Amino acid sequence: MNTDSKGMKLTAREKSALIMEGIVTVILLLLLDLSVIVLLNEMIQTNPGLQDGIFIIKRSVFIGPQHYQLWSWENIFIVLMLLFDAGVVYWRLIRRYHQMQLRHIIGELHYIANGHFDHRIPFTIKGDTQRVITSVNALVDSVIASMDEERKIEKSKDELITNVSHDLRTPLTSIIGYLGLVEDRQYHSEDELLKYTGTAFNKAKQMKSLVDDLFTYTKMRADTPLSLATLDVGQMLEQLAASFELEASEKGMAIDIDVPDKPIRIEADGEKLGRVFNNLITNALKYGEGGKHINLRAKQPDDKEVVVSVENDGKKIPEASLSQVFERFYRVEGSRSKATGGTGLGLAIAQSIVKRHGGYIYVTSTDDWTRFVIHLPIKNGIQLKDEHEK
Ligand code: ATP
Ligand code: MG
């Protein structure tokens, strides 16, 4: 916004004030000079001792024709006085000018503070004061940025609360409904009673999983420290595959692992990364409709990062949903069916965890494969550049 760097312009009033100040100062100084000269003359005339002294000094200092010496002595004194006067005039005018500059800056500040936040101090000034202007403009920029950020956070908090209350109310309504039937003894057999309480119990568990997810999500967002350790990614994937084997075979799916022979060691929070892969594999099992394969791959393209991917065949994620699956509570149309359960927080949590590690996660989906890819830095504290950010 501060593109046109014009100098500061004085108003007509300020200009005339400056001129007046100059004139008044000059008059005062001339009066002062005159009185000094008169006074000195007076002193020299009335004091013969002083006259002699001056004469001796003149004689001892100057060599050359007498009249030249005399001429030079008085004139030098006057020239010095005029130089002094010019200095004083210059100093006073500059001081006044600086005051005016400050007044302009303060005026601009008031203008910005009155709510014109897209305004910046439009002029540049030579010297140190320019630093003040640059700082003020930078300050306004950063205040605006943080206000925007604040607004965004506020908005997303509102959304979160709306979503949570909606997702909690649905199971809660049926819990109250079923327990109400039990309370009013509106059942005819023990089986029916058990059916009611069983349904209420399941709904309560659903609520708990939402609350748990939410808790993890907010905790991940806050700056809780990662508990770092060196871990072998290949080994981790193998353990995960083993723990999901039964579930996969029940669904007629096979989990395959593709990792290099050499161990890939990274510095990371194993428990949290475990959560990420758990969710990705669970998702692959839940949503890979008609799929037969889940592949867990890890590779190390350079000494900075590792790339881990979880892919499954089966139904693809529609193009329009790809950018949204990482949003909290987002579930692709059709996934909302209660058969798969889920709160839509899994991928949001995964993304938070990966980001906390300095990495990034993205998804691609074709008719053949849906692939979640995670880039993680080998060493903690390094921030990888997200090449998939739109
Ligand atoms: P949660 O993980 O919180 O229990 P969830 O699995 O529905 O619930 P996410 O893991 O965030 O939530 O996934 C969001 C949505 O992305 C899912 O509801 C699903 O529609 C879609 N999705 C995720 N993984 C896949 C996949 N491998 N294949 C197809 N769709 C997927
Ligand atoms: Mg999930």
Side-chain angles (χ1 to χ4, degrees):
M1 232 158 274
N2 196 14
T3 44
D4 52 332
S5 44
K6 289 175 295 196
M8 191 192 85
K9 283 222 165 57
L10 292 181
T11 60
R13 244 180 90 184
E14 284 168 333
K15 274 183 202 155
S16 49
L18 219 53
I19 293 170
M20 273 311 286
E21 172 115 11
I23 293 173
V24 169
T25 317
V26 167
I27 292 173
L28 283 177
L29 283 169
L30 287 180
L31 285 176
L32 191 74
D33 293 353
L34 210 67
S35 47
V36 167
I37 291 171
V38 169
L39 228 89
L40 275 180
N41 253 335
E42 195 76 8
M43 264 165 71
I44 296 168
Q45 300 297 322
T46 53
N47 194 337
L50 206 61
Q51 258 177 32
D52 289 348
I54 289 174
F55 187 71
I56 292 165
I57 294 172
K58 272 181 182 175
R59 276 254 307 262
S60 57
V61 170
F62 290 101
I63 310 155
Q66 192 73 11
H67 73 278
Y68 183 73
Q69 286 168 20
L70 278 173
W71 183 87
S72 167
W73 179 253
E74 266 87 41
N75 279 287
I76 280 179
F77 184 72
I78 289 174
V79 166
L80 278 179
M81 245 178 10
L82 285 179
L83 275 178
F84 171 78
D85 292 356
V88 171
V89 171
Y90 178 76
W91 171 72
R92 279 194 59 101
L93 290 186
I94 275 290
R95 243 189 48 170
R96 200 53 205 268
Y97 182 66
H98 281 161
Q99 275 175 3
M100 286 170 179
Q101 283 180 333
L102 272 185
R103 210 175 303 146
H104 274 248
I105 294 174
I106 291 169
E108 298 281 342
L109 276 178
H110 279 296
Y111 183 72
I112 295 171
N114 280 338
H116 303 94
F117 291 126
D118 48 359
H119 184 76
R120 299 291 179 275
I121 299 180
F123 47 80
T124 53
I125 284 174
K126 279 200 206 86
D128 269 355
T129 323
Q130 180 55 36
R131 297 235 297 272
V132 176
I133 294 180
T134 319
S135 312
V136 165
N137 284 342
L139 189 73
V140 177
D141 280 342
S142 74
V143 167
I144 301 303
S146 67
M147 270 166 62
D148 280 351
E149 186 68 12
E150 198 74 20
R151 218 170 288 143
K152 252 191 244 155
I153 292 173
E154 204 53 41
K155 193 167 152 254
S156 96
K157 272 190 187 148
D158 285 350
E159 272 169 21
L160 182 72
I161 292 170
T162 316
N163 280 325
V164 172
S165 23
H166 172 265
D167 280 30
L168 282 179
R169 202 168 54 189
T170 322
L172 198 56
T173 312
S174 45
I175 291 172
I176 292 173
Y178 284 109
L179 290 183
L181 291 177
V182 176
E183 171 87 354
D184 297 344
R185 301 191 181 278
Q186 292 204 11
Y187 51 88
H188 308 291
S189 63
E190 193 176 331
D191 275 356
E192 213 171 344
L193 169 70
L194 284 178
K195 205 180 98 190
Y196 290 167
T197 52
T199 316
F201 183 51
N202 280 337
K203 298 282 170 188
K205 281 198 289 196
Q206 204 177 314
M207 279 175 70
K208 180 167 186 316
S209 101
L210 171 65
V211 173
D212 284 348
D213 274 359
L214 207 74
F215 186 65
T216 320
Y217 178 74
T218 42
K219 216 169 67 180
M220 268 335 290
R221 305 278 303 179
D223 282 340
T224 45
L226 298 171
S227 67
L228 295 173
T230 304
L231 46 99
D232 179 350
V233 179
Q235 211 176 24
M236 187 164 98
L237 292 183
E238 267 157 25
Q239 280 167 8
L240 277 163
S243 70
F244 277 101
E245 205 155 270
L246 189 68
E247 200 176 326
S249 69
E250 275 172 4
K251 296 204 165 188
M253 293 183 98
I255 303 183
D256 287 313
I257 295 189
D258 172 21
V259 293
D261 299 331
K262 213 174 92 210
I264 304 179
R265 294 213 171 78
I266 64 167
E267 214 182 353
D269 185 327
E271 198 191 309
K272 297 204 172 68
L273 279 193
R275 242 194 115 91
V276 172
F277 294 118
N278 248 306
N279 181 55
L280 292 182
I281 298 169
T282 314
N283 281 353
L285 287 167
K286 273 202 295 198
Y287 308 114
E289 261 171 70
K292 291 266 169 285
H293 299 280
I294 296 175
N295 296 326
L296 311 180
R297 298 180 201 279
K299 60 177 195 255
Q300 187 180 342
D302 54 38
D303 56 0
K304 275 214 315 268
E305 59 171 1
V306 320
V307 184
V308 189
S309 59
V310 176
E311 53 185 36
N312 65 274
D313 51 0
K315 203 169 157 202
K316 76 179 254 190
I317 302 178
E319 194 83 35
S321 303
L322 276 183
S323 59
Q324 295 176 69
V325 289
F326 294 104
E327 286 171 19
R328 345 172 258 221
F329 299 109
Y330 182 82
R331 308 192 73 205
V332 177
E333 211 50 53
S335 305
R336 286 226 163 253
S337 73
K338 289 299 161 208
T340 50
T343 57
L345 275 171
L347 287 174
I349 293 173
Q351 190 177 45
S352 292
I353 293 176
V354 172
K355 275 192 183 165
R356 284 291 306 280
H357 278 85
Y360 58 96
I361 178 171
Y362 63 90
V363 57
T364 59
S365 194
T366 64
D367 283 330
D368 297 327
W369 294 101
T370 293
R371 183 176 295 132
F372 284 86
V373 185
I374 297 175
H375 288 240
L376 287 170
I378 303 250
K379 275 239 161 291
N380 191 262
I382 295 170
Q383 185 70 47
L384 297 179
K385 206 170 121 38
D386 186 350
E387 274 136 28
H388 274 78
E389 210 158 27
K390 271 145 219 147

